[in-house]
């Protein structure tokens, strides 16, 4: 394959306190590299685009190192082995790896995971059976501890994590309320996923509602308070939810996408912390990698739910690696409909 | 005793978004009441003044009902039974009850707790062996889960709760850092309680330091981050601590005294919530009444520590019920030196 070209997306500039734009990325074509001893060359079929990547574009210290300027944008991919110098892998194997935003990835053999396309389509390993699905599963069940009959509120309810959270909460017998930002997302969450209620955090003109409105609307949909608040969003939606937390409620901080374009302003945060005291509520940050020991439990359980159609999962697929920056920029603004993927055009 | 007078302190006005002043209280003298069947009349020796009482002066919904205007200010007291129409109690018994800010209290017999003055002085049952001590014990050990060698940061370190928290953390082998607001508090915490380090959150002119200064100073005293942050304060001290939380750190929200005079402004809160995500930290509100089942464990353990002089406890005693409003106003401003009590002048 070494005679081919590898198209990849680099970080050209760090957006500071603003949304990323196309010129923050640079698309380049380089020859496909040869694997060294112990390495495997993967031709990618799907790239996962996830909100956490916005954090990696920032130089701010977080739970992972920033991408360097000129470095390949990071990301998880599924693809097929096209050349191997590692005894564990053969040409044709379907695998998952962190190769980043590029058509071909060169990876040490021990950093690759085999995936079973008989169990589920390859793309699912980047979504409902992958990191977002496992995030939903472990964070909801092990941090949120939802009990039958309790109210679970999910922000970004139609997103890669949110749609799974709500469905698992339904399986566990909870009353599930979602928050999303457009009519078609609302319809998907309510009509296809079966949430009990959904709230649009935007007015009909597309502008986000203010705190008082949101807090009142959340109170209306959660009259007994929120027992588990699964937050992917932060900001005013978080405030509105926390102002309605139930006694001994649990808040899972899974993402803060509403402030991802303002990471360098550390004074943006929640305003209702006193509710934690008043309600003896618990708030906890979550990172799926801390739960690696639950991978097998998660895979088996979720595969069963998918088979039984108790969980469905929507993917929003952009075409071609060149579309990755625009798809990513759109996802941060809420333009995606379900889990955002990039499908490589050579398939 | 019915021929005597009962001096008591009523709530005259609710302070809204300001510190309480003397005219918010009304002192009145009424005849001492006679106990009805099942009731006990107690002559109080000590009244406990606690920050939570500021919350009760507000009409805002919290974990307890507000005091009504014209109602007796609430509070825990120790005293002696002077008349009883309940089979369980006899004249002369030393007891603890919630009689409020008054010299005499009339209480149903089943709402009284016997105290053992052979084990400790009566006043201790309002402090190190009472609600503040049990708050420190249960919240630190059961929510904070401090491990030997870990760093525990305590705000309001010389207060009724803070001084006990730090000493228990030392007993558990932790490195303990305190935050307090005056030179003599600093000296007490460092020299008498044996904290490893103490930080003054005020400049030499008495003005509170800003976030950047506090955050840097906390970082200097907690170079490996804060494993357990026991917060009695909220506000900028909370922000400064949270900006230095360690991975998997635990934050106990026990009090928010810095914002008690701004309860009606709900948009005051912490700014560093994203740290919870980045560090997968946990923040949890605490109320001692949720831990009532641990009372006996606490009493036995703390009595042992007091006997062995592993825990000491400082009390700041005002004289006479008429002094209660000023002592309370002073405590909210940080004027007290240790646990604030009122000793009744008739003793």
């Amino acid at each position: 394959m070494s005679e081919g070209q590898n198209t990849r997306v680099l970080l050209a500039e760090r957006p500071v306190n603003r949304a990323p734009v196309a010129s923050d990325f640079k698309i380049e074509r380089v020859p496909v590299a040869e694997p060294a001893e112990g390495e495997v060359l993967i031709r990618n079929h799907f790239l996962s685009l996830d909100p956490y990547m916005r954090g990696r574009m920032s130089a701010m210290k977080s739970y992972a190192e920033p991408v360097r300027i000129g470095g390949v944008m990071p990301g998880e991919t599924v693809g097929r082995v096209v050349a191997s110098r590692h005894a564990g892998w053969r040409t044709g194997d379907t695998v998952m790896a962190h190769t980043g935003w590029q058509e071909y990835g060169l990876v040490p053999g021990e950093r690759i995971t085999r995936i079973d396309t008989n169990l589920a389509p390859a793309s699912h390993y980047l979504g409902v059976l992958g990191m977002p699905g496992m995030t939903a599963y472990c964070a909801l069940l092990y941090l949120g501890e939802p009990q039958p009959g309790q109210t679970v509120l999910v922000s970004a309810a139609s997103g890669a994590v949110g749609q799974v959270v709500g469905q698992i909460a339904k399986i566990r017998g909870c009353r599930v309320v979602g928050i999303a930002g457009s009519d078609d997302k609302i319809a998907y969450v309510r009509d296809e996923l079966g949430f009990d209620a959904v709230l649009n955090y935007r007015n009909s003109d597309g502008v986000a509602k203010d705190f008082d409105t949101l807090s009142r609307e959340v109170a209306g949909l959660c009259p007994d308070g929120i027992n588990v608040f699964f937050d992917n969003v932060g900001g005013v939606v978080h405030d509105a939810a926390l102002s309605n937390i139930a006694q001994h409620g649990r808040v899972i901080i899974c993402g803060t996408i509403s402030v991802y374009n303002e990471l360098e302003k550390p004074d943006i945060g929640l305003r209702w912390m006193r509710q934690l005291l008043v309600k003896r509520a618990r708030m906890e940050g979550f990172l799926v990698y801390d739960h690696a020991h639950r991978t097998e439990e998660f895979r088996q359980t979720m595969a069963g739910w998918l088979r039984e159609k108790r969980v469905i999962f929507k993917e929003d697929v952009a075409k071609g690696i060149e579309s990755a920056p625009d798809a990513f920029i759109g996802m941060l603004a809420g333009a995606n409909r379900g889990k955002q993927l990039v499908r490589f055009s050579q398939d």
Side-chain angles (χ1 to χ4, degrees), chain A:
Chain A
M1 301 303 299
S2 59
E3 71 279 10
Q5 292 282 304
N6 179 25
T7 303
R8 60 191 195 180
V9 181
L10 314 179
L11 178 64
E13 199 158 330
R14 297 195 194 285
V16 176
N17 290 334
R18 62 167 171 82
V21 294
S23 60
D24 294 330
F25 304 94
K26 186 185 166 198
I27 296 174
E28 70 169 16
R29 284 170 191 83
V30 292
V32 173
E34 294 273 7
E37 183 59 36
E39 283 186 337
V40 172
L41 181 67
I42 301 164
R43 181 176 164 175
N44 287 326
H45 294 187
F46 286 98
L47 161 69
S48 176
L49 294 180
D50 299 279
Y52 77 81
M53 295 164 175
R54 175 62 183 83
R56 301 283 183 90
M57 297 175 78
S58 162
M60 289 266 301
K61 214 175 154 176
S62 184
Y63 47 78
E65 286 298 305
V67 188
R68 63 178 178 78
I69 296 286
V72 176
M73 282 291 294
E76 217 173 5
T77 49
V78 292
R80 201 157 275 163
V81 173
V82 289
S84 173
R85 293 186 65 190
H86 185 283
W89 301 101
R90 289 191 311 187
T91 299
D93 288 345
T94 301
V95 298
M96 183 165 60
H98 283 88
T99 65
W101 297 23
Q102 56 184 339
E103 288 173 322
Y104 290 87
L106 209 53
V107 186
E110 58 276 9
R111 298 236 192 110
I112 300 174
T113 307
R114 195 179 305 273
I115 63 176
D116 179 359
T117 51
N118 294 319
L119 194 66
S123 64
H124 271 28
Y125 288 88
L126 299 176
V128 65
L129 279 172
M131 186 272 284
M134 185 158 157
T135 293
Y137 178 92
C138 292
L140 178 67
L141 297 182
Y142 290 100
L143 270 61
E145 300 171 6
Q147 305 301 314
Q150 291 192 330
T151 297
V152 175
L153 180 72
V154 191
S155 63
S158 73
V161 172
Q163 57 180 316
V164 181
V165 169
Q167 294 179 87
I168 298 176
K170 287 302 295 176
I171 289 170
R172 287 297 168 104
C174 298
R175 194 170 163 275
V176 179
V177 180
I179 301 180
S182 70
D183 288 344
D184 65 326
K185 289 178 180 177
I186 300 279
Y188 170 63
V189 167
R190 190 185 50 215
D191 303 337
E192 295 186 54
L193 300 184
F195 282 38
D196 297 283
V198 199
L199 186 155
N200 195 332
Y201 73 86
R202 289 183 162 135
N203 288 309
S204 52
D205 59 4
V207 174
K209 293 171 182 168
D210 64 15
F211 168 79
D212 288 337
T213 306
L214 276 173
S215 178
R216 199 173 49 242
E217 292 185 2
V218 169
L221 295 179
C222 306
D224 300 322
I226 301 157
N227 301 105
V228 180
F229 173 39
F230 197 111
D231 192 18
N232 298 302
V233 162
V236 69
V237 165
H238 179 102
D239 293 342
L242 202 53
S243 69
N244 285 290
I245 195 78
Q247 194 165 302
H248 298 301
R250 284 82 67 199
V251 178
I252 299 156
I253 304 197
C254 183
T256 60
I257 194 169
S258 73
V259 299
Y260 278 5
N261 289 325
E262 295 166 317
L263 281 185
E264 287 77 10
K265 297 180 191 162
D267 59 347
I268 292 175
L270 84 171
R271 310 181 304 168
W272 279 77
M273 70 167 278
R274 196 177 145 72
Q275 284 291 94
L276 294 182
L277 173 57
V278 169
K279 302 295 174 56
R280 290 89 87 198
R282 191 176 71 205
M283 184 181 294
E284 195 160 354
F286 179 85
L287 190 65
V288 69
Y289 303 110
D290 295 335
H291 294 250
H293 57 288
R294 295 182 169 129
T295 302
E296 201 45 39
E297 170 199 327
F298 157 70
R299 283 270 161 79
Q300 292 302 326
T301 309
M302 183 57 75
W305 286 336
L306 288 167
R307 250 191 331 267
E308 300 158 11
K309 307 258 186 276
R310 301 184 73 184
V311 170
I312 62 174
F313 191 72
K314 193 169 187 171
E315 295 170 344
D316 189 341
V317 183
K319 274 284 235 173
I321 182 65
E322 294 85 351
S323 71
D326 281 351
F328 180 67
I329 291 164
M331 180 187 68
L332 289 179
N336 59 306
R337 299 289 174 264
K339 166 67 192 162
Q340 184 67 60
L341 297 170
V342 174
R343 188 187 182 100
F344 287 79
S345 49
Q346 69 264 47
D347 293 334

